[in-house]
Amino acid sequence: GPVSPEKTAGSKKAVAGQKVKKCPHCRVVQDAALKKCSVCGFTLEKTPAYSDNASPVAIYTGFNLRFLAMLIDTAMILAFVLPCALLLYGDAYFTPDPFIKSPIDVLITWVLPGLAVIVFWIVWGATPGKMFIGARIVDAGTGKPARPLQLILRYYAYVLSALPLFAGFVAIANDAKKQGWHDRLSGTVV
């Protein structure tokens, strides 16, 4: 079950020096032997263990894993968007004229996927792709869950990261905290 330096869930005292893990999703300290969080069910296999009298070390998610998470998220979004678009527009959806077919096209292609991403970030701190790789978006200063306004700003800051030949995303590979421009602007880390 969950373990904290003060008490466990069953009000038993934790043993000094016991190896524990902090769930990156719900922040509850767990016994290091657990593979899944006993509170929220989040997979703990990639979460580093530490002694209960030490602080957990921040581990930032680099470019390659974040790229994999983006591919997973893109595949999931396309699994929703393409069938809807083909049902509504048929093969005409793939013609460039007009680029935006109708207001429903904007809703299906841009608005709903964007809302889904923001809702996942606010509720779970990650999209399904980030959950798959064991990553979570947190406040850069505190390590606590990012605030909703930070996450909304982060989403719109993607445009700034993407416009100059994706330079804001490439920056993740060279930054000590693995922050892209969108992370820096919103005060978040992954």
Side-chain angles (χ1 to χ4, degrees):
V3 177
S4 85
E6 297 83 32
K7 295 181 181 182
T8 63
S11 297
K12 294 184 240 171
K13 294 281 182 189
V15 178
Q18 178 178 1
K19 290 287 187 183
V20 293
K21 293 180 180 181
K22 184 179 279 188
C23 175
H25 182 257
C26 70
R27 315 291 293 168
V28 173
V29 179
Q30 309 284 321
D31 184 316
L34 293 177
K35 299 225 186 272
K36 290 192 176 253
C37 175
S38 61
V39 175
C40 69
F42 191 84
T43 301
L44 297 173
E45 291 172 349
K46 295 178 184 172
T47 305
Y50 60 95
S51 177
D52 72 349
N53 54 5
S55 298
V57 176
I59 298 174
Y60 303 109
T61 306
F63 180 82
N64 292 341
L65 282 175
R66 288 173 72 171
F67 187 76
L68 173 62
M70 181 274 305
L71 290 176
I72 292 167
D73 293 336
T74 300
M76 293 182 75
I77 289 169
L78 287 175
F80 165 76
V81 169
L82 286 180
C84 292
L86 287 172
L87 183 66
L88 291 170
Y89 305 106
D91 290 341
Y93 182 72
F94 298 105
T95 61
D97 189 34
F99 179 70
I100 297 174
K101 309 297 184 214
S102 72
I104 292 174
D105 182 24
V106 173
L107 181 72
I108 292 169
T109 306
W110 301 101
V111 176
L112 291 179
L115 282 174
V117 166
I118 292 170
V119 167
F120 267 97
W121 286 351
I122 291 171
V123 175
W124 292 286
T127 54
K130 282 188 178 55
M131 287 182 215
F132 177 79
I133 65 166
R136 187 162 175 249
I137 303 164
V138 296
D139 182 274
T142 65
K144 293 182 179 177
R147 297 179 312 281
L149 286 177
Q150 274 180 291
L151 297 170
I152 292 167
L153 173 62
R154 184 179 192 273
Y155 183 79
Y156 288 105
Y158 268 6
V159 174
L160 297 174
S161 285
L163 281 181
L165 301 173
F166 299 95
F169 293 108
V170 174
I172 294 167
N174 300 315
D175 187 81
K177 290 186 176 181
K178 307 300 182 197
Q179 287 179 297
W181 294 353
H182 52 288
D183 294 309
R184 287 179 176 268
L185 287 168
S186 63
T188 60
V189 291
V190 179

